Amino acid sequence: MSVTFAQGFSAAGVAAGISSVEGKKDLALVVNNGPLDAAAGVFTSNRFCAAPVQWSRKVVADGHVKAVILNSGGANACTGEAGYAQSVATAETVAGLIGAEPNDVAVCSTGLIGELLPLDNVLAGAKSAHEALAATAEAGTDASHAIMTTDTKPKTVELTGSKGWKIGGMVKGSGMIAPQLATMLCVITTDAVVSAGQMQAALAVAAEHSFNRIDVDGCMSTNDTVLLLASGASGVEPDKDEFNKLVREACVSLSRQIIGDGEGASHDIRITVTGATSEDAALACGRAVAASNLLKCAISGNDPNWGRIVSSLGTVPPEVAPYDSNKVTVDVNGVRICENGGAGRDRSEVDMTPREVHIDIDLNTGSDAEATVWTDDLTHEYIRINADYES
């Protein structure tokens, strides 16, 4: 059911003629029918952030959002004042349709950078989506399809709290994935009775431990947007800790689905660093390994080349992650192929047939801080997809 799983939300996904793929659903609308309209958001830190990001940051700042309109088929990034005007016009159109103010409507776009959107198609699509709004499972599914670009499948989540309140969500993302955030458009909805402040705190922590810990290709997007909306329609005020936990679970699920659908990927790679002096140190080491294109290519060829793991690990400055290289161990899928900074068991012993590859690095500093990062391998298909990318 995606974003319509929680009470108080309606959605739609329509073909508006924005995408270069004829007949593809390419515009989604999610409306919060209340009684609350609390909202939180996190956005890309890319300095070339897109016009809809600039607009939506302002919208979310007061903690209130009544609707989100999202399009695939064009990023509306690096389009200057004209692009920003398009985001404003889109918000104004949706606001008029639902009886709200434009500054209560968030706008999200994804696709090719550097080109204006076909605004007439976007605005006509907004009207079509408004007419198609429904609180059904089908409507939520349509919305999740409409935000896809190179994704091969929709990515959704549904969770239920102990007192019956719900969380639903959808995300798109397959390539151009790297912290901070990963490349995505994400809308998470809940019918819990929660304040915008509580939601923002929960979302910030959840994103840090999910979307900020995946890396498909090391490329940060201009359009990343993650929104959390609350309708309060369940009438249930959840336990704060449980709410935070389920928001984090939703984000972890959605981010993990992005990795599982990485462009052309044949392996999902989990990198866990333990024995670090701090979580930040462990995270820096994990990200350095996840960023290695050499390693990604080796994994694509079913080669657990531990030399590429430790060489990437060695790029982390000692002031960031102090450790003795002569004490480091590396296990791949349970086989210790690097022992005390040198060769361990023969890497031919590692079974590389599973989709998931687990790389476990122990820095053995005497401390027990740890962190986990997910990434994908790089295949010939990744090159094909991005050589031909047209949005």
Side-chain angles (χ1 to χ4, degrees):
M1 293 184 72
S2 181
V3 290
T4 53
F5 182 65
Q7 298 179 67
F9 292 92
S10 51
V14 299
I18 305 166
S19 171
S20 62
V21 180
E22 187 175 354
K24 178 193 178 297
K25 288 184 172 63
D26 53 15
L27 185 140
L29 180 62
V30 180
V31 175
N32 183 349
N33 300 305
L36 302 181
D37 61 1
V42 291
F43 302 89
T44 182
S45 58
N46 195 305
R47 292 169 63 187
F48 283 85
C49 64
V53 171
Q54 297 170 36
W55 169 260
S56 295
R57 275 184 178 145
K58 295 178 181 179
V59 169
V60 174
D62 68 356
H64 297 279
V65 171
K66 293 185 181 296
V68 185
I69 183 168
L70 313 93
N71 75 269
S72 57
N76 194 11
C78 302
T79 49
E81 293 182 3
Y84 189 80
Q86 286 195 337
S87 292
V88 174
T90 302
E92 289 175 341
T93 295
V94 173
L97 291 168
I98 66 171
E101 295 297 321
N103 59 7
D104 287 329
V105 178
V107 179
C108 302
S109 299
T110 184
L112 196 64
I113 293 170
E115 296 181 1
L116 288 168
L117 296 170
L119 186 59
D120 289 344
N121 294 33
V122 173
L123 302 186
K127 295 173 183 176
S128 297
H130 180 257
E131 293 172 357
L133 281 172
T136 62
E138 182 180 5
T141 298
D142 286 345
S144 65
H145 277 89
I147 61 175
M148 292 166 52
T149 51
T150 59
D151 308 66
T152 66
K153 54 190 173 184
K155 303 165 184 68
T156 63
V157 67
E158 299 173 5
L159 298 170
T160 303
S162 61
K163 295 183 179 180
W165 59 277
K166 297 176 180 178
I167 287 180
M170 65 180 184
V171 70
K172 67 79 52 183
S174 187
M176 207 178 190
I177 303 288
Q180 314 267 339
L181 301 157
T183 306
M184 68 189 65
L185 298 184
C186 178
V187 179
I188 301 171
T189 58
T190 180
D191 52 21
V193 178
V194 284
S195 69
Q198 181 180 349
M199 292 165 64
Q200 188 64 52
L203 185 61
V205 172
E208 177 58 32
H209 289 85
S210 57
F211 299 125
N212 282 342
R213 298 198 179 184
I214 59 176
D215 184 340
V216 169
D217 49 20
C219 298
M220 183 195 295
S221 170
T222 54
N223 290 61
D224 302 333
T225 300
V226 181
L227 299 174
L228 174 60
L229 313 179
S231 69
S234 71
V236 178
E237 184 174 345
D239 174 79
K240 182 178 179 180
D241 290 340
E242 184 185 23
F243 179 76
N244 294 348
K245 177 176 179 289
L246 261 65
V247 170
R248 181 165 169 169
E249 284 184 14
C251 291
V252 167
S253 173
L254 292 171
S255 65
R256 182 67 184 81
Q257 290 178 60
I258 289 174
I259 288 295
D261 193 31
E263 288 179 340
S266 61
H267 291 90
D268 305 343
I269 308 168
R270 189 213 70 201
I271 302 164
T272 298
V273 179
T274 59
T277 55
S278 68
E279 183 180 3
D280 286 345
L283 185 57
C285 290
R287 283 180 172 165
V289 174
S292 171
N293 287 338
L294 281 175
L295 175 63
K296 293 168 183 284
C297 291
I299 298 298
S300 175
N302 292 323
D303 179 7
N305 190 329
W306 64 269
R308 295 179 177 181
I309 297 171
V310 297
S311 63
S312 298
L313 190 65
T315 66
V316 181
E319 61 270 21
V320 175
Y323 63 83
D324 182 347
S325 61
N326 292 315
K327 294 181 179 180
V328 171
T329 65
V330 178
D331 294 16
V332 177
N333 287 351
V335 178
R336 181 149 299 175
I337 54 176
C338 174
E339 180 79 42
N340 296 326
R345 292 164 61 183
D346 193 284
R347 66 193 196 201
S348 65
E349 297 180 38
V350 181
D351 180 7
M352 296 292 289
T353 56
R355 170 81 187 199
E356 286 192 12
V357 174
H358 295 171
I359 298 175
D360 295 292
I361 302 166
D362 192 342
L363 301 180
N364 285 306
T365 65
S367 300
D368 59 1
E370 63 179 78
T372 294
V373 176
W374 283 90
T375 189
D376 287 302
D377 59 356
L378 289 179
T379 67
H380 294 289
E381 182 65 9
Y382 177 86
I383 297 172
R384 186 199 65 76
I385 291 169
N386 286 283
D388 297 336
Y389 184 69
E390 295 181 357
S391 179

